[in-house]
Amino acid sequence: MNKSEIKDQYDQCHVVYNQNREEQDLAGNTVFYKAIDFDLSGKHLLDVGCGSGADLKILGEGGPVAYGIDPSEEFLNTARLNNPQGTFENGVGEDIP
């Protein structure tokens, strides 16, 4: 599968993924991340394959600078809504220098 096909596949599944992500969060993702006791203030976080930005939203409450990359523009639009202070770019992990 080439990068364009992967991007198209993620664009098509983003709505269902986001709905499932909300259910997963109810199952404890927020509790898990908040249980990790370390100070992220002033740190930089990069989420490769950030999807809707849900993980960065939870972790971002501690004050880090959030960056995310994802091949799907649909996911990135949701990530930007979830994390207005974050920086989100279209891309794939294989292209990170």
Side-chain angles (χ1 to χ4, degrees):
M1 201 180 274
N2 66 39
K3 290 178 185 178
S4 178
E5 291 170 326
I6 293 169
K7 176 207 162 303
D8 290 343
Q9 187 175 32
Y10 277 105
D11 281 345
Q12 292 172 13
C13 76
H14 87 281
V15 172
V16 173
Y17 176 89
N18 285 337
Q19 290 169 347
N20 289 338
R21 181 61 191 208
E22 289 175 14
E23 292 172 16
Q24 291 172 7
D25 190 45
L26 294 175
N29 285 356
T30 301
V31 173
F32 172 76
Y33 283 127
K34 291 185 186 262
I36 300 171
D37 188 22
F38 52 91
D39 183 14
L40 293 176
S41 55
K43 304 290 186 200
H44 294 253
L45 296 179
L46 172 62
D47 188 350
V48 178
C50 66
S52 64
D55 292 331
L56 286 174
K57 181 177 181 180
I58 295 168
L59 292 169
E61 294 174 1
V65 178
Y67 299 94
I69 65 168
D70 199 274
S72 167
E73 197 60 44
E74 297 296 330
F75 272 125
L76 291 170
N77 289 335
T78 303
R80 290 177 185 116
L81 289 173
N82 285 333
N83 303 282
Q85 303 301 320
T87 301
F88 297 92
E89 299 291 333
N90 188 278
V92 293
E94 293 85 357
D95 292 341
I96 296 174

